[in-house]
Coordinates of all heavy atoms in Angstrom, one line a residue:
R1 N -2.5 -4.8 12.0 CA -3.1 -4.0 11.0 C -2.5 -2.7 10.7 O -2.3 -2.3 9.5 CB -4.6 -3.8 11.3 CG -5.4 -3.3 10.1 CD -6.9 -3.0 10.6 NE -7.7 -2.9 9.3 CZ -7.7 -1.8 8.5 NH1 -6.8 -0.9 8.6 NH2 -8.5 -1.9 7.4
D2 N -2.0 -2.0 11.7 CA -1.4 -0.7 11.6 C 0.0 -0.9 10.8 O 0.3 0.0 9.9 CB -1.1 0.0 12.9 CG -2.4 0.5 13.5 OD1 -3.3 0.7 12.8 OD2 -2.4 0.8 14.8
L3 N 0.7 -1.9 11.2 CA 1.9 -2.3 10.5 C 1.7 -2.6 9.0 O 2.4 -2.1 8.1 CB 2.6 -3.4 11.1 CG 3.9 -4.0 10.4 CD1 4.9 -2.9 10.2 CD2 4.4 -5.2 11.2
A4 N 0.6 -3.4 8.7 CA 0.3 -3.7 7.4 C -0.1 -2.5 6.6 O 0.3 -2.3 5.4 CB -0.8 -4.8 7.3
D5 N -0.9 -1.5 7.2 CA -1.3 -0.3 6.5 C -0.1 0.5 6.1 O 0.0 1.0 5.0 CB -2.2 0.4 7.4 CG -2.8 1.7 6.8 OD1 -3.6 1.6 5.8 OD2 -2.3 2.8 7.2
A6 N 0.8 0.7 7.0 CA 2.1 1.5 6.7 C 2.9 0.8 5.7 O 3.4 1.4 4.8 CB 2.8 1.7 8.0
A7 N 3.0 -0.5 5.8 CA 3.9 -1.2 4.9 C 3.3 -1.1 3.4 O 4.0 -1.0 2.4 CB 3.9 -2.7 5.3
Q8 N 2.0 -1.2 3.3 CA 1.3 -1.1 2.0 C 1.5 0.3 1.4 O 1.9 0.4 0.2 CB -0.1 -1.4 2.0 CG -0.8 -1.5 0.7 CD -2.3 -1.6 0.8 OE1 -2.9 -0.6 1.2 NE2 -2.9 -2.7 0.3
L9 N 1.3 1.3 2.3 CA 1.6 2.7 1.7 C 3.0 2.8 1.3 O 3.2 3.5 0.2 CB 1.2 3.7 2.9 CG -0.3 4.0 3.2 CD1 -0.4 4.8 4.4 CD2 -0.8 4.8 2.0
S10 N 3.9 2.4 1.9 CA 5.3 2.5 1.6 C 5.7 1.7 0.3 O 6.7 2.0 -0.3 CB 6.2 2.2 2.7 OG 6.2 0.8 3.0
S11 N 4.8 0.8 -0.1 CA 5.1 -0.1 -1.1 C 4.3 0.2 -2.4 O 4.4 -0.5 -3.4 CB 4.9 -1.6 -0.7 OG 5.7 -1.9 0.4
L12 N 3.3 1.2 -2.3 CA 2.4 1.4 -3.5 C 3.2 1.7 -4.8 O 2.7 1.5 -5.9 CB 1.4 2.4 -3.1 CG 0.4 2.0 -2.1 CD1 -0.5 3.3 -1.7 CD2 -0.6 0.9 -2.7
A13 N 4.3 2.5 -4.6 CA 5.0 2.8 -5.8 C 6.2 1.9 -6.1 O 7.0 2.1 -7.0 CB 5.6 4.2 -5.7
D14 N 6.3 0.8 -5.3 CA 7.4 -0.1 -5.5 C 7.0 -1.2 -6.5 O 6.1 -2.0 -6.3 CB 7.7 -0.8 -4.1 CG 8.9 -1.7 -4.1 OD1 9.4 -2.0 -5.2 OD2 9.4 -2.1 -3.0
E15 N 7.7 -1.1 -7.7 CA 7.3 -2.0 -8.8 C 8.0 -3.4 -8.8 O 7.8 -4.2 -9.6 CB 7.5 -1.3 -10.1 CG 6.6 -0.2 -10.5 CD 5.2 -0.6 -10.5 OE1 4.9 -1.7 -11.0 OE2 4.3 0.1 -10.0
T16 N 8.9 -3.6 -7.8 CA 9.5 -4.9 -7.6 C 8.5 -5.9 -7.2 O 7.4 -5.6 -6.7 CB 10.6 -4.9 -6.6 OG1 10.0 -4.6 -5.3 CG2 11.6 -3.8 -7.0
A17 N 8.8 -7.3 -7.4 CA 7.9 -8.4 -7.1 C 7.7 -8.3 -5.5 O 6.7 -8.6 -5.0 CB 8.5 -9.7 -7.5
E18 N 8.8 -8.1 -4.8 CA 8.6 -7.9 -3.3 C 7.6 -6.9 -2.9 O 6.8 -7.0 -2.0 CB 10.0 -7.7 -2.7 CG 11.0 -8.9 -2.8 CD 11.7 -8.9 -4.2 OE1 11.4 -8.0 -5.0 OE2 12.7 -9.7 -4.3
G19 N 7.8 -5.7 -3.5 CA 6.9 -4.6 -3.2 C 5.4 -4.9 -3.5 O 4.5 -4.6 -2.7
R20 N 5.2 -5.5 -4.7 CA 3.8 -5.9 -5.0 C 3.3 -6.9 -4.1 O 2.1 -7.0 -3.8 CB 3.8 -6.5 -6.5 CG 4.1 -5.4 -7.5 CD 3.7 -5.9 -8.9 NE 4.5 -6.9 -9.4 CZ 5.6 -6.6 -10.2 NH1 6.0 -5.4 -10.5 NH2 6.4 -7.6 -10.6
S21 N 4.1 -7.8 -3.6 CA 3.6 -8.9 -2.7 C 3.2 -8.3 -1.3 O 2.3 -8.8 -0.6 CB 4.8 -10.0 -2.5 OG 5.8 -9.5 -1.7
I22 N 3.9 -7.2 -0.9 CA 3.5 -6.6 0.4 C 2.1 -5.9 0.2 O 1.3 -6.0 1.1 CB 4.6 -5.5 0.7 CG1 5.9 -6.1 1.1 CG2 4.0 -4.6 1.9 CD1 7.1 -5.2 1.2
V23 N 1.9 -5.3 -0.9 CA 0.5 -4.7 -1.1 C -0.5 -5.8 -1.2 O -1.6 -5.6 -0.5 CB 0.6 -3.9 -2.5 CG1 -0.8 -3.5 -2.9 CG2 1.6 -2.8 -2.5
V24 N -0.3 -6.9 -1.8 CA -1.2 -8.0 -1.9 C -1.5 -8.6 -0.6 O -2.6 -8.9 -0.2 CB -0.7 -9.0 -2.9 CG1 -1.6 -10.3 -2.8 CG2 -0.7 -8.5 -4.3
L25 N -0.4 -8.8 0.2 CA -0.6 -9.4 1.6 C -1.5 -8.5 2.5 O -2.4 -9.0 3.2 CB 0.8 -9.7 2.2 CG 0.7 -10.3 3.6 CD1 0.2 -11.8 3.5 CD2 2.2 -10.4 4.2
A26 N -1.3 -7.2 2.5 CA -2.1 -6.3 3.3 C -3.5 -6.4 2.8 O -4.4 -6.3 3.7 CB -1.5 -4.9 3.2
K27 N -3.7 -6.4 1.5 CA -5.1 -6.5 1.0 C -5.7 -7.8 1.4 O -7.0 -7.8 1.8 CB -5.0 -6.4 -0.5 CG -6.4 -6.3 -1.2 CD -6.2 -6.3 -2.7 CE -5.4 -5.1 -3.2 NZ -5.4 -5.0 -4.7
E28 N -5.0 -8.9 1.3 CA -5.6 -10.2 1.6 C -6.0 -10.4 3.1 O -7.0 -11.0 3.5 CB -4.7 -11.3 1.2 CG -4.6 -11.5 -0.3 CD -3.6 -12.5 -0.7 OE1 -2.8 -13.0 0.1 OE2 -3.5 -12.9 -1.9
K29 N -5.1 -9.9 4.0 CA -5.2 -10.1 5.4 C -6.2 -9.1 6.1 O -6.9 -9.5 7.0 CB -3.9 -10.0 6.1 CG -2.9 -11.1 5.8 CD -1.8 -11.2 6.8 CE -2.3 -11.8 8.1 NZ -1.2 -12.1 9.0
F30 N -6.1 -7.8 5.6 CA -7.0 -6.8 6.2 C -7.9 -6.0 5.3 O -8.4 -5.0 5.6 CB -6.1 -5.8 7.0 CG -5.1 -6.5 8.1 CD1 -3.9 -6.7 7.8 CD2 -5.7 -6.9 9.2 CE1 -3.0 -7.4 8.8 CE2 -5.0 -7.5 10.2 CZ -3.6 -7.7 10.0
D31 N -8.0 -6.5 4.0 CA -8.8 -5.8 3.1 C -8.4 -4.3 2.9 O -9.3 -3.5 2.7 CB -10.3 -6.0 3.4 CG -11.2 -5.7 2.2 OD1 -10.7 -5.9 1.0 OD2 -12.3 -5.2 2.4
I32 N -7.2 -4.0 3.0 CA -6.7 -2.6 2.8 C -6.5 -2.4 1.3 O -5.7 -3.1 0.6 CB -5.4 -2.4 3.5 CG1 -5.5 -2.7 5.0 CG2 -4.9 -1.0 3.4 CD1 -4.2 -2.7 5.9
R33 N -7.3 -1.4 0.8 CA -7.2 -1.2 -0.6 C -6.4 0.0 -1.0 O -5.9 0.7 -0.1 CB -8.7 -0.9 -1.1 CG -9.6 -2.1 -0.8 CD -9.4 -3.3 -1.7 NE -10.1 -4.5 -1.4 CZ -10.2 -5.6 -2.1 NH1 -9.5 -5.6 -3.3 NH2 -10.8 -6.6 -1.7
A34 N -6.3 0.3 -2.3 CA -5.5 1.4 -2.8 C -6.1 2.7 -2.3 O -7.3 2.9 -2.0 CB -5.6 1.3 -4.3
R35 N -5.2 3.7 -2.3 CA -5.6 5.1 -1.8 C -5.7 6.1 -2.9 O -5.2 5.8 -4.0 CB -4.6 5.6 -0.8 CG -4.0 4.5 0.1 CD -5.0 3.8 0.9 NE -4.4 2.6 1.6 CZ -3.9 2.6 2.8 NH1 -3.8 3.7 3.5 NH2 -3.4 1.5 3.4
N36 N -6.3 7.2 -2.6 CA -6.3 8.3 -3.6 C -5.1 9.2 -3.3 O -5.0 9.9 -2.4 CB -7.6 9.1 -3.3 CG -7.9 10.2 -4.5 OD1 -6.9 10.8 -4.9 ND2 -9.1 10.3 -4.8
F37 N -4.1 9.0 -4.3 CA -2.9 9.8 -4.1 C -3.0 11.3 -4.2 O -2.3 12.0 -3.6 CB -1.9 9.3 -5.2 CG -1.5 7.9 -5.1 CD1 -1.3 7.0 -6.2 CD2 -1.4 7.3 -3.8 CE1 -0.9 5.7 -6.1 CE2 -1.1 5.9 -3.7 CZ -0.9 5.1 -4.8
K38 N -4.1 11.7 -5.0 CA -4.2 13.2 -5.1 C -4.7 13.8 -3.8 O -4.3 14.8 -3.4 CB -5.2 13.5 -6.3 CG -4.7 13.2 -7.6 CD -5.7 13.6 -8.7 CE -5.2 13.4 -10.1 NZ -6.2 13.8 -11.1
E39 N -5.6 13.1 -3.2 CA -6.1 13.5 -1.9 C -5.0 13.5 -0.7 O -4.9 14.4 0.0 CB -7.3 12.7 -1.4 CG -8.5 13.0 -2.2 CD -9.7 12.1 -1.7 OE1 -9.5 11.5 -0.7 OE2 -10.8 12.1 -2.3
L40 N -4.2 12.5 -0.9 CA -3.1 12.3 0.1 C -2.0 13.3 -0.2 O -1.1 13.6 0.8 CB -2.5 10.9 0.0 CG -3.5 9.7 0.5 CD1 -2.8 8.4 0.3 CD2 -3.9 9.9 2.0
E41 N -1.9 13.8 -1.4 CA -0.7 14.7 -1.8 C 0.6 13.9 -1.4 O 1.5 14.5 -0.8 CB -0.8 16.0 -1.1 CG -2.0 16.8 -1.4 CD -2.1 18.2 -0.6 OE1 -1.2 18.4 0.2 OE2 -3.0 19.0 -0.9
A42 N 0.6 12.7 -1.9 CA 1.7 11.8 -1.6 C 3.0 12.1 -2.4 O 2.9 12.4 -3.6 CB 1.3 10.3 -1.8
N43 N 4.1 11.9 -1.7 CA 5.4 12.0 -2.4 C 6.2 10.7 -2.1 O 6.5 10.4 -1.0 CB 6.2 13.2 -1.8 CG 7.7 13.3 -2.4 OD1 7.7 13.0 -3.6 ND2 8.5 13.7 -1.6
F44 N 6.3 10.0 -3.2 CA 7.0 8.6 -3.0 C 8.5 8.7 -3.0 O 9.1 9.4 -3.8 CB 6.6 7.6 -4.1 CG 5.1 7.2 -4.0 CD1 4.1 7.8 -4.8 CD2 4.7 6.4 -3.0 CE1 2.8 7.5 -4.7 CE2 3.4 6.0 -2.9 CZ 2.4 6.5 -3.7
I45 N 9.2 8.1 -2.1 CA 10.6 8.0 -2.0 C 11.1 6.8 -2.5 O 10.8 5.6 -2.0 CB 11.1 8.2 -0.5 CG1 10.3 9.3 0.2 CG2 12.6 8.3 -0.4 CD1 10.6 10.6 -0.3

């Protein structure tokens, strides 16, 4: 679950089909949903 959580966070800004599939897999397996980027003060690489 920790791996899936980190993988999803690193893929939220990834618009490739592979990136989207990582987000979906984490959501399906562990019900990990989207985050509030403003609260996180996230900077995507």
Side-chain angles (χ1 to χ4, degrees):
R1 193 183 194 289
D2 288 343
L3 171 60
D5 181 71
Q8 188 191 65
L9 280 168
S10 66
S11 303
L12 288 173
D14 188 347
E15 289 301 319
T16 65
E18 291 85 352
R20 290 195 291 268
S21 72
I22 293 171
V23 174
V24 170
L25 182 62
K27 187 185 297 184
E28 289 177 348
K29 292 197 73 171
F30 301 104
D31 197 31
I32 303 174
R33 301 286 170 175
R35 323 302 170 91
N36 188 321
F37 297 144
K38 288 184 178 180
E39 289 182 4
L40 292 176
E41 297 178 355
N43 176 38
F44 291 102
I45 311 299

